[in-house]
């Protein structure tokens, strides 16, 4: 054995530098191969371990997902329960408010025939002008006649308007405060809508610019309403009925308040519409008043009362006639018609 090592040692003295470098490199390669083999074995063991643990991890993920879904469902159920409880509380509060709120019902007569024509007016009154029902406006207007025709141009700019009467009845258990639009007013008199021989004007309260009238439980009040368009606008409604043309309609709103600070206020919306102006037979340039009242088809529509609860805060809802005339307004704009 000693002879082997002596021979090996003696042989190493004869190696050149390049040969030593090759030997060292070979040794490094062997060490790297051994390390790589060890790393590969470790990786295989880790892969086998991971493969064994993967199903457990998948089960844990599935359990977590199920727990998350269950939590989401519980949150949704809680939200629904809260919503239902809130709705129940709100409805209970509304029911208590309704018990104390006035209940005003509106009845309207058919528009008076024939309408009135005012040659000095070409639109609805502005805020600082005499109202339609003012005695000055009524005195300067004259009843329209089917015998008279209107030519295109200046004559069609004359204003034709209707008067109608209505009755308000408070069927609730508390006093109502009632406000009418500018072109309506309470009057004293009688109406075929009710049996009372004479109805008095309810007492007024508030500022002159926002005057309200008190209507006690069981009481009724008589009012007049006036509204119209130019003859040209009435004629346009007849000649261009589609889409529904608001130039053949007049709009009116009655507002009812209760005496409580946190109570209700109601809106009663009314539309008067028809086609009182029609083309004159055999003439392209002339229009005239319908011969018969039935031909004009003037009618009044009272929409269901809209109640707003003060506790709900302000809200904006479209007026009941918005959908009917929406297409025409989109095509022509709201400024193209007078809104009473």
């Amino acid at each position: 054995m000693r002879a082997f090592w002596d021979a090996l040692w003696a042989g190493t003295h004869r190696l050149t530098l390049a040969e030593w470098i090759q030997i060292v490199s070979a040794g490094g390669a062997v060490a790297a191969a051994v390390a790589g083999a060890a790393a590969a074995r470790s990786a295989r063991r880790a892969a086998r371990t991971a493969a064994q643990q993967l199903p457990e991890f998948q089960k844990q993920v599935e359990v977590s997902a199920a727990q998350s879904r269950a939590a989401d469902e519980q949150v949704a159920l809680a939200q629904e329960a809260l919503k239902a409880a809130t709705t129940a509380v709100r409805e209970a509060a509304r029911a208590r408010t309704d018990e104390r709120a006035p209940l005003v019902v509106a009845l309207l007569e058919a528009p008076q025939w024939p309408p009135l024509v005012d040659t000095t007016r070409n639109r609805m009154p502005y805020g600082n002008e005499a109202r339609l029902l003012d005695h000055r406006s009524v005195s300067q207007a004259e009843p329209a006649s089917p015998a008279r025709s209107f030519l295109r141009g200046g004559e069609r700019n004359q204003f034709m308007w209707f008067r109608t009467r209505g009755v308000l009845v408070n069927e609730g258990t508390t006093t109502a405060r009632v406000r009418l639009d500018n072109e309506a007013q309470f009057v004293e008199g009688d109406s075929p809508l009710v049996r009372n021989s004479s109805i008095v004007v309810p007492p007024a309260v508030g500022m002159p610019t926002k005057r309200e009238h008190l209507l006690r439980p069981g009481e009724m009040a008589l009012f007049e309403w006036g509204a119209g368009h130019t003859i040209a606008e009435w004629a346009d409604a007849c000649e261009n009925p589609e889409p529904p043309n608001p130039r053949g309609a007049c709009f009116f709103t009655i507002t009812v308040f209760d005496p409580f600070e946190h109570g209700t206020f109601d809106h009663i919306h009314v539309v008067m519409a028809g086609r009182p102006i029609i083309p004159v037979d055999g003439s392209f340039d002339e229009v005239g008043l319908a011969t018969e009242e039935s031909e004009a088809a003037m009618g009044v529509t009272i929409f269901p009362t809209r109640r707003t609860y003060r506790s709900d805060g302000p809200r904006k809802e479209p007026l009941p006639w918005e959908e009917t005339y929406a297409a025409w307004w989109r095509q022509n704009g709201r400024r193209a018609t007078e809104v009473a």
Side-chain angles (χ1 to χ4, degrees):
M1 178 63 67
R2 181 179 180 83
F4 168 76
W5 290 108
D6 291 339
L8 179 62
W9 176 253
T12 58
H13 284 284
R14 291 193 296 270
L15 295 175
T16 64
L17 178 61
E19 291 173 336
W20 275 110
I21 293 173
Q22 290 179 353
I23 293 173
V24 171
S25 299
V30 171
V34 172
R41 287 194 298 271
S42 298
R44 285 194 295 271
R45 286 196 299 270
R48 286 195 297 269
T49 302
Q52 294 172 356
Q53 294 177 345
L54 180 60
E56 185 65 26
F57 290 155
Q58 290 177 339
K59 291 180 180 179
Q60 292 178 0
V61 170
E62 292 174 356
V63 170
S64 298
Q67 292 175 346
S68 178
R69 288 193 298 269
D72 291 341
E73 292 175 357
Q74 290 177 354
V75 171
L77 291 175
Q79 291 176 341
E80 290 295 329
L82 176 61
K83 183 179 179 180
T86 303
T87 301
V89 171
R90 183 184 298 114
E91 292 301 324
R94 288 179 175 180
R96 291 192 298 269
T97 301
D98 289 340
E99 292 177 354
R100 301 179 298 170
L103 179 60
V104 174
V105 177
L107 306 172
L108 273 91
E109 302 175 9
Q112 296 179 12
W113 188 267
L116 299 174
V117 175
D118 190 340
T119 60
T120 66
R121 187 187 297 275
N122 60 7
R123 52 173 170 72
M124 293 290 288
Y126 286 159
N128 60 347
E129 297 177 345
R131 314 320 305 170
L132 281 182
L133 295 175
D134 186 276
H135 68 279
R136 292 168 293 178
S137 299
V138 175
S139 63
Q140 68 189 17
E142 59 182 20
S145 171
R148 181 184 175 185
S149 61
F150 301 90
L151 295 171
R152 294 183 183 273
E155 285 189 323
R156 291 201 183 190
N157 292 329
Q158 298 174 14
F159 193 77
M160 189 177 76
W161 58 285
F162 288 85
R163 301 173 68 177
T164 186
R165 284 190 166 195
V167 174
L168 298 180
V169 182
N170 185 0
E171 298 182 350
T173 59
T174 56
T175 298
R177 296 182 291 122
V178 181
R179 182 187 301 166
L180 303 177
D181 276 355
N182 287 336
E183 301 311 321
Q185 62 185 16
F186 287 104
V187 295
E188 184 175 353
D190 54 21
S191 172
L193 298 173
V194 294
R195 296 179 179 179
N196 292 40
S197 58
S198 181
I199 304 174
V200 299
V201 176
V205 295
M207 301 296 292
T209 55
K210 292 186 178 180
R211 188 169 298 278
E212 299 168 0
H213 290 257
L214 299 180
L215 198 59
R216 298 179 178 86
E219 291 185 344
M220 60 184 62
L222 179 67
F223 67 91
E224 284 185 323
W225 170 39
H229 295 284
T230 64
I231 293 171
E233 290 170 337
W234 287 115
D236 181 71
C238 177
E239 296 167 354
N240 302 286
E242 296 297 335
N245 194 331
R247 288 178 168 176
C250 302
F251 310 102
F252 173 49
T253 298
I254 303 167
T255 307
V256 180
F257 306 88
D258 70 358
F260 303 104
E261 181 179 357
H262 301 291
T264 64
F265 55 92
D266 297 340
H267 289 103
I268 304 173
H269 298 291
V270 181
V271 173
M272 175 175 59
R275 297 175 184 174
I277 293 295
I278 59 175
V280 173
D281 291 340
S283 175
F284 174 76
D285 291 332
E286 295 178 299
V287 294
L289 184 68
T291 305
E292 300 291 338
E293 183 178 356
S294 58
E295 186 181 8
M298 292 297 299
V300 175
T301 300
I302 305 173
F303 292 90
T305 300
R306 289 188 174 184
R307 169 157 292 182
T308 301
Y309 297 87
R310 297 180 186 271
S311 59
D312 292 347
R315 59 179 181 177
K316 180 67 174 177
E317 291 185 357
L319 295 170
W321 50 75
E322 291 283 344
E323 184 177 354
T324 301
Y325 300 108
W328 192 94
W329 277 320
R330 283 195 298 268
Q331 294 176 10
N332 301 277
R334 289 184 175 271
R335 292 184 178 273
T337 182
E338 289 276 347
V339 179

